[in-house]
C-alpha cells in the first residue's frame, strides 16, 4: 500500500518541476527578445555668469525725411540730379520756367518806382503848403489834405515794395533746392509737364531721406519697459542724454552684433491694444549701408547674472512650448518646458524650467525610441561653449 501511494507523489513533483522549467524558459526567452534601452548622452546644464540682453525685432527709419514739392506753379523746365544721388542741402534739383515770374518782378519794380515818385510829389506839396500857411495864403484844411495825400502815397509805396518782395520770392522759388542733405529718390515729374505749387495740392516732385545718422525703431513689452524703468530712475531722461542706453543690431544675414548705437527716445505712452511701447535707437551710418525700411534684430544690455546654458540643438517644440528632454528616475525620459533667453558663446540661455541638477539629453535624442516616458541608457557627456557673445 505504501508503495502504491508514493508513485503519484513523485509524478506530481516531476510535473511541477517541468512546468517551472518551461515558465522560466518562456520568461528568459521574452527577456532576450525585448529591445535594449537606447543609449543617450546626458549632461548637467552649463552654469555660467553671462551678460543678459533683451532682444527685439524692428526696422530702420530715416532720421529726417522730406517730400519735395513746388511752391509756385508753372512748366517744369529742367532737372539737375540723377535718380538716387546723394545731395547736399541747397543743391539745385528742379527749375520751373522763370520767365513769367521775371516779368512779375519787372512789373513790381516799376510799380515801386511810380509809388516813390508819388511820395516825392506829395512831400513837395506838403512842404509848399507849410510855407504858404505863414502868409495865410492856404488854409489849414488844404495842408491837412496834402499831408493825407503824402501818407497815402507812402502806404502805396510800402505796398508796392511788398509786392516786389513777393515777386522776387516767387522767382527764387522757380529753382527748387534740396531742403536737407541725404539720398534723393527718383523724379516723379518729367520736364515739360505743368506742375501745381502752393501750400495745398502741390505736385510731388521727389523725396529725400537723411542717411547719417539713421534711426532704428522697435516695440518693447510692458514687462521690459518696467524693468528698464526700475533700473533707471528716469528712463526717458537717461535715453535722451548723450550717453544713452547701449544697444546693438544685426541684419538678417549677419551673425555678429557689429553695429552699436544708443537709445535716444522712449515714447510717452504704451499702446493700449498691443501693450507695447515704442523706442528708438540712433546708429551712425557713415558708409550709407543701412537703408530705411530694412529689418534687423536689436539687443539691449540688461545687466549680468548667473544662467544655465544648453546647446540650441537640444531644444524641441511641443505645439506652443519649447521643451528640453531630461533623464529622470529609473532612467526614463522626462520633458521639461523651458523659457528661452539669448544665445551666448554658441549656447542658449535657459531662463526658467531647468535646475543645475537636471540631466539634459544632449546626444542620441534623434532616435525615435527616445521619447517621453521611454527608458534609456544614460551615458556621460559634456556641454562646452563654442563661440563668443
Amino acid at each position: 500500500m505504501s508503495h502504491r501511494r508514493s508513485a503519484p507523489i513523485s509524478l506530481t513533483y516531476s510535473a511541477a518541476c517541468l512546468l517551472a522549467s518551461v515558465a522560466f524558459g518562456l520568461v528568459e526567452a521574452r527577456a532576450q527578445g525585448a529591445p535594449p534601452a537606447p543609449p543617450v548622452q546626458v549632461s548637467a546644464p552649463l552654469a555660467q555668469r553671462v551678460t543678459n540682453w533683451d532682444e527685439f525685432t524692428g526696422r530702420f527709419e530715416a532720421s529726417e525725411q522730406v517730400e519735395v514739392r513746388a511752391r509756385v506753379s508753372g512748366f517744369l523746365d529742367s532737372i539737375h540730379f540723377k535718380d538716387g544721388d546723394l545731395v547736399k542741402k541747397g543743391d539745385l534739383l528742379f527749375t520751373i520756367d522763370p520767365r513769367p515770374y521775371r516779368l512779375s518782378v519787372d512789373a513790381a519794380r516799376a510799380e515801386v518806382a511810380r509809388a516813390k515818385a508819388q511820395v516825392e510829389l506829395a512831400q513837395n506839396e506838403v512842404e509848399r503848403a507849410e510855407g504858404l500857411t505863414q502868409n495865410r495864403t492856404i488854409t489849414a484844411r488844404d495842408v491837412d489834405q496834402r499831408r493825407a495825400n503824402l501818407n497815402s502815397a507812402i502806404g502805396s509805396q510800402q505796398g508796392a515794395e511788398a509786392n516786389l518782395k513777393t515777386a522776387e520770392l516767387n522767382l527764387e522759388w522757380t529753382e527748387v533746392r534740396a531742403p536737407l542733405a541725404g539720398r534723393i529718390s527718383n523724379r516723379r515729374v518729367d520736364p515739360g509737364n505743368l506742375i501745381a505749387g502752393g501750400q495745398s495740392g502741390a505736385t510731388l516732385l521727389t523725396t529725400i531721406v537723411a542717411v547719417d545718422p539713421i534711426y532704428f525703431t522697435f516695440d518693447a513689452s510692458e514687462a521690459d519697459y518696467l524693468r528698464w524703468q526700475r533700473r533707471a530712475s528716469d528712463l526717458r531722461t537717461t535715453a535722451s542724454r548723450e550717453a544713452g542706453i547701449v544697444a546693438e543690431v544685426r541684419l538678417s544675414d549677419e551673425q555678429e552684433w557689429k553695429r552699436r548705437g544708443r537709445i535716444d527716445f522712449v515714447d510717452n505712452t504704451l499702446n493700449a491694444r498691443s501693450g507695447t511701447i515704442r523706442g528708438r535707437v540712433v546708429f551712425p551710418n557713415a558708409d550709407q549701408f543701412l537703408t530705411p525700411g530694412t529689418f534687423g534684430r536689436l539687443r539691449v544690455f540688461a545687466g549680468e547674472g548667473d544662467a544655465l546654458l544648453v546647446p540650441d540643438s537640444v531644444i524641441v517644440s511641443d505645439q506652443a512650448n519649447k521643451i528640453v528632454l531630461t533623464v529622470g528616475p529609473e532612467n526614463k525620459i522626462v520633458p521639461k518646458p523651458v523659457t528661452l533667453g539669448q544665445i551666448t558663446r554658441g549656447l542658449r540661455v535657459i531662463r526658467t524650467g531647468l535646475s543645475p541638477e537636471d540631466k539634459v539629453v544632449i546626444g542620441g535624442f534623434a532616435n525615435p525610441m527616445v521619447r517621453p516616458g521611454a527608458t534609456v541608457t544614460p551615458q556621460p557627456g559634456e556641454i562646452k561653449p563654442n563661440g563668443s557673445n
Side-chain angles (χ1 to χ4, degrees), residues 2 51 79 102 126 150 152 160 173 178 272 277 317 323 335 360 362 365:
S2 60
T51 300
I79 298 176
R102 287 200 185 104
V126 168
L150 174 60
S152 177
W173 283 343
I277 191 167
S317 298
I323 291 176
V360 178
I362 61 174
F365 50 83

Side-chain angles (χ1 to χ4, degrees), residues 172-353:
E172 180 183 340
W173 283 343
T174 60
E175 294 183 345
V176 182
R177 297 183 178 274
L180 58 87
R183 189 173 298 280
I184 196 168
S185 181
N186 64 306
R187 63 181 183 269
R188 308 298 170 83
V189 182
D190 293 322
N193 284 284
L194 178 64
I195 61 175
Q199 296 182 354
S200 63
T203 303
L204 175 64
L205 302 178
T206 187
T207 60
I208 302 176
V209 296
V211 293
D212 185 25
I214 193 169
Y215 290 155
F216 185 90
T217 58
F218 64 98
D219 292 323
S221 67
E222 183 177 353
D224 293 328
Y225 169 74
L226 292 176
R227 186 169 63 254
W228 296 346
Q229 187 75 348
R230 296 184 190 282
R231 194 164 62 241
S233 58
D234 190 341
L235 178 61
R236 291 176 182 83
T237 301
T238 303
S240 62
R241 290 173 182 163
E242 185 177 355
I245 301 174
V246 177
E248 297 176 347
V249 73
R250 61 181 174 88
L251 306 180
S252 58
D253 62 342
E254 296 177 342
Q255 299 299 323
E256 298 181 2
W257 306 84
K258 298 180 179 179
R259 309 177 190 277
R260 173 169 292 191
R262 296 187 181 276
I263 297 178
D264 76 324
F265 166 76
V266 177
D267 211 345
N268 56 358
T269 58
L270 276 82
N271 188 301
R273 294 185 177 180
S274 62
T276 59
I277 191 167
R278 184 165 58 96
R280 186 180 70 192
V281 187
V282 180
F283 286 95
N285 191 30
D287 59 355
Q288 291 93 41
F289 180 80
L290 300 174
T291 304
T294 304
F295 281 86
R297 188 72 177 167
L298 179 80
R299 69 177 187 178
V300 181
F301 177 72
E304 295 185 350
D306 297 327
L308 299 178
L309 298 91
V310 299
D312 200 39
S313 59
V314 308
I315 300 169
V316 296
S317 298
D318 180 12
Q319 296 180 351
N321 297 322
K322 297 296 183 181
I323 291 176
V324 171
L325 299 181
T326 63
V327 176
E330 300 180 359
N331 292 337
K332 290 187 177 181
I333 296 294
V334 178
K336 290 196 172 184
V338 294
T339 303
L340 305 182
Q342 78 273 9
I343 292 181
T344 178
R345 302 190 66 186
L347 300 175
R348 174 70 70 174
V349 172
I350 304 298
R351 296 190 183 275
T352 61

Side-chain angles (χ1 to χ4, degrees), residues 19-84:
L19 290 174
S21 300
V22 172
F24 180 78
L26 290 174
V27 171
E28 186 177 4
R30 289 179 181 176
Q32 293 177 353
V40 295
Q41 286 186 334
V42 297
S43 173
L46 182 62
Q48 281 192 348
R49 189 167 184 83
V50 299
T51 300
N52 294 317
W53 300 87
D54 294 326
E55 296 189 9
F56 308 94
T57 299
R59 66 176 183 174
F60 290 97
E61 294 181 356
S63 55
E64 293 181 89
Q65 182 172 348
V66 65
E67 294 181 342
V68 180
R69 299 178 185 269
R71 296 187 178 184
V72 294
S73 301
F75 284 93
L76 187 61
D77 192 43
S78 57
I79 298 176
H80 306 276
F81 68 92
K82 292 182 180 180
D83 296 348

